[in-house]
Amino acid sequence: MKPIADMTRWLHIVVVTLVVWMQEYIRVIFQKLNVRHLYLLGVILFAAIAIQVADWIAKHAIEHFQFLRMLLAGSNDIEGDWVNITVSTASPTVIIAAEYCRIRFHNGQYVLSGDTWSLDGKWIEDFLTQGSSYRNREFEYYYKTGINRVGGFGAILFSPHDDLPSDFICRYVDENVSAPCVTRGRRIGRRLKKVPQDERRAAALHFAGNFESLGLLDFEGFTHNRQPAVPEGPGRQ
């Protein structure tokens, strides 16, 4: 998504233009109050308040309206529901977990959260990013997970590069794991809505079940190819 600053910059231009246009009206008001010599101070005060209000409106609108965020992000929009598989770099041919995660925009940044299951359907843990940065289709983050809230950090690369992101590959390091892990995921929905845990688990395991036949993750192929290289899961738009 384009930085909020890009949007507020245009709002500031509009506000300043409005203040210049209203300058004469402000002068007349101060003249009627017999404080004409203070009207420039009134103009400055009005401009400062108007800019603060414009900033608040912009941030509030972006925070609460997904359609506006989708419009601003354009083809770089990554919000929605995703499913992915996890492998260890120590044994990249073995899928060790399936996950259902959600990316949403909150308090000025993207937040990644979700749940992890073993391939037999046993719930393992949940996770939640505590801080992130998204630029040029790369999402860097750190997170807390499990009952003890141990953490880690990682980076996600989204694909394709010339269209709306539909797949990702992620490499992360976890405090509980000796070797770095890699995940490969696919978006199954853009609209944020409540999904029961049973449905989330079923979607994650379905994706993992189809993915096992592919064997090794094709890192280079993912980076350079612009078409998804993983099988479709049960989607919800």
Side-chain angles (χ1 to χ4, degrees):
M1 183 168 65
K2 297 178 181 178
I4 293 178
D6 290 351
M7 181 177 181
T8 56
R9 186 181 302 115
W10 287 104
L11 287 176
H12 293 171
I13 293 174
V14 172
V15 168
V16 171
T17 302
L18 179 63
V19 170
V20 171
W21 179 74
M22 295 184 63
Q23 184 174 348
E24 182 62 23
Y25 293 94
I26 297 174
R27 187 189 65 79
V28 171
I29 292 174
F30 273 68
Q31 184 175 353
K32 290 181 179 180
L33 296 174
N34 295 321
V35 288
R36 180 184 176 186
H37 61 288
L38 296 177
Y39 97 92
L40 285 179
L41 180 61
V43 170
I44 295 173
L45 181 61
F46 177 78
I49 294 175
I51 287 175
Q52 291 296 318
V53 172
D55 286 347
W56 182 87
I57 291 175
K59 292 179 181 178
H60 182 82
I62 291 173
E63 183 74 24
H64 291 87
F65 298 103
Q66 188 191 6
F67 75 89
L68 179 59
R69 298 195 298 270
M70 293 170 65
L71 180 64
L72 292 173
S75 62
N76 290 312
D77 177 41
I78 59 173
E79 280 194 273
D81 289 3
W82 301 74
V83 289
N84 63 267
I85 56 91
T86 302
V87 301
S88 170
T89 53
S91 183
T93 61
V94 179
I95 297 176
I96 58 178
E99 296 179 331
Y100 188 106
C101 58
R102 165 172 288 185
I103 299 176
R104 62 187 178 93
F105 191 80
H106 183 61
N107 287 338
Q109 64 180 351
Y110 285 108
V111 176
L112 172 68
S113 62
D115 294 276
T116 304
W117 291 272
S118 62
L119 295 187
D120 61 4
K122 181 181 179 180
W123 183 84
I124 299 176
E125 61 190 9
D126 63 353
F127 53 89
L128 174 69
T129 59
Q130 304 294 307
S132 70
S133 173
Y134 176 58
R135 185 177 295 274
N136 298 326
R137 306 216 173 190
E138 292 188 25
F139 179 69
E140 298 179 346
Y141 63 90
Y142 69 91
Y143 63 92
K144 299 290 184 180
T145 184
I147 298 177
N148 295 323
R149 311 316 294 168
V150 296
F153 61 89
I156 296 176
L157 176 64
F158 293 92
S159 181
H161 291 175
D162 56 357
D163 202 351
L164 186 70
S166 60
D167 294 80
F168 72 69
I169 193 166
C170 170
R171 180 183 174 93
Y172 69 89
V173 177
D174 192 288
E175 294 177 4
N176 277 335
V177 182
S178 58
C181 291
V182 175
T183 71
R184 185 77 177 270
R186 164 158 292 182
R187 175 157 36 190
I188 61 172
R190 293 185 67 189
R191 293 291 182 180
L192 301 180
K193 60 182 181 180
K194 292 184 178 180
V195 180
Q197 188 178 38
D198 288 345
E199 291 185 20
R200 298 198 303 269
R201 179 178 60 184
L205 294 178
H206 176 82
F207 181 75
N210 288 334
F211 201 91
E212 284 185 290
S213 61
L214 297 181
L216 284 169
L217 293 177
D218 183 8
F219 298 101
E220 184 176 354
F222 180 92
T223 303
H224 294 91
N225 293 335
R226 294 300 181 260
Q227 297 298 322
V230 291
E232 291 285 355
R236 285 184 301 276
Q237 297 292 340

